[in-house]
Amino acid sequence: MFNDEEKKKRVKRDQARVNALENQENVQANRIIRWIIITLLLICIVFALLMGTLVATGGFGEEKETQVTIPQGASASQIAHILNENDVIFNESLFKIYLRLSNHDPIQAGTYQLKTSSGFGEVMNQLSHAQGPATQAVLVKEGMNVEEIAQVMADYFGITQEEALKRINSENLLAEEATKYPELLKDVVNNDQLRYPLEGYLFPATYELTQSDTVESFVDKMLAASETIRQKYSDALKQQSLSWHEILTLASIIEKEASTDEDRKMVSGVFYNRLAENMPLQSDITLNYAHNEHSTYVTIEDTMIDSPYNLYQNTGLGPGPFNNPSESAIQAALNPTLNDYMYFVADLSTGNVYFSKTYEEHDQLVQEYVSPEDAKLQEQ
């Protein structure tokens, strides 16, 4: 049996052992916590260093040249998305944060030759400084009308078609260009009958645009090309009774009515024959423009639209061009193939054009080569 003194000593020894074990556990726990903190700090440091390296260098992906276009008025999100889509940057969200936090010069709209897997700083340095001769080829197809050209501009400049149309049709722009090209544009200034003043004058071609170009400078390039064409055929124009405005108008119809040079000159001859007889040209192209829509097969009801552009109801050439014709169509309008035909019809399946002298012959050809069913197939 233990006396009281021995019991007290035994309790103290047991308590000391317990305290020692607790201290040992606390030390071990503190050591684990310290290792966890140190490990997390190391992970954070490594991650920060990795992110910093990626931000600075662009990562470890393959570097190759790529052309990137930043449209006018693009937001930070749009710019980041464009760069990410072209693999110029490695992360879209991080680049947006970088744009907010970095002290950089304004980003310039334009076309750039960049490298994939580029560092953020390198990209910003290129986007905020002019890139000199970097260009992009923009195609304006033969026979496009002003609305279609406005869509081409909208796609290139990153604006709406409505905005592009507004700027193309600006009175200030027209006045400025008319001063620059007075002979070319003399028949469109103050002509209130025209739907779009520059319809027919925006010469179709492939244009090289730089980052400094605008809708207005694009229009000027097309008008400069149109003026070159006018001067090229100035002698041929003197042999005609039609003005240049009328030649462009006739060419714009020929552009859509036939595709080969030979057929275009034959079609031109037919139109001259009808004009000489004061007969309506009766071109479906004019109805489409009057209705402001495309239809391969027109109906009697379509021909009744009240519009100066409706050359089923009106004689002559109407107010002005129906699209922007090619040089081939202009040549056909200036140099028609003389013939005694008054009618023609195109096979919707082959594009072949058939000519006739009488309405009866023409009607038979229409029944043979044109039908609503064929037209629907062509429109699909």
Side-chain angles (χ1 to χ4, degrees), residues 299-345:
T299 65
I300 296 297
E301 183 180 0
D302 291 331
T303 66
M304 304 306 293
I305 184 172
D306 182 15
S307 169
Y309 286 102
N310 177 2
L311 299 191
Y312 266 81
Q313 297 294 330
N314 302 298
T315 58
L317 291 166
F322 300 83
N323 56 63
N324 294 273
S326 63
E327 184 173 359
S328 168
I330 292 172
Q331 287 177 331
L334 286 166
N335 299 292
T337 296
L338 298 180
N339 59 65
D340 55 1
Y341 295 118
M342 301 301 290
Y343 304 89
F344 67 89
V345 63

Side-chain angles (χ1 to χ4, degrees), residues 269-321:
V270 173
F271 283 144
Y272 273 102
N273 292 340
R274 296 179 74 91
L275 289 171
E277 295 294 328
N278 199 32
M279 294 174 60
L281 296 190
Q282 295 185 321
S283 167
D284 294 355
I285 307 307
T286 70
L287 286 183
N288 285 332
Y289 197 83
H291 285 279
N292 201 22
E293 62 182 25
H294 174 74
S295 176
T296 305
Y297 185 87
V298 299
T299 65
I300 296 297
E301 183 180 0
D302 291 331
T303 66
M304 304 306 293
I305 184 172
D306 182 15
S307 169
Y309 286 102
N310 177 2
L311 299 191
Y312 266 81
Q313 297 294 330
N314 302 298
T315 58
L317 291 166

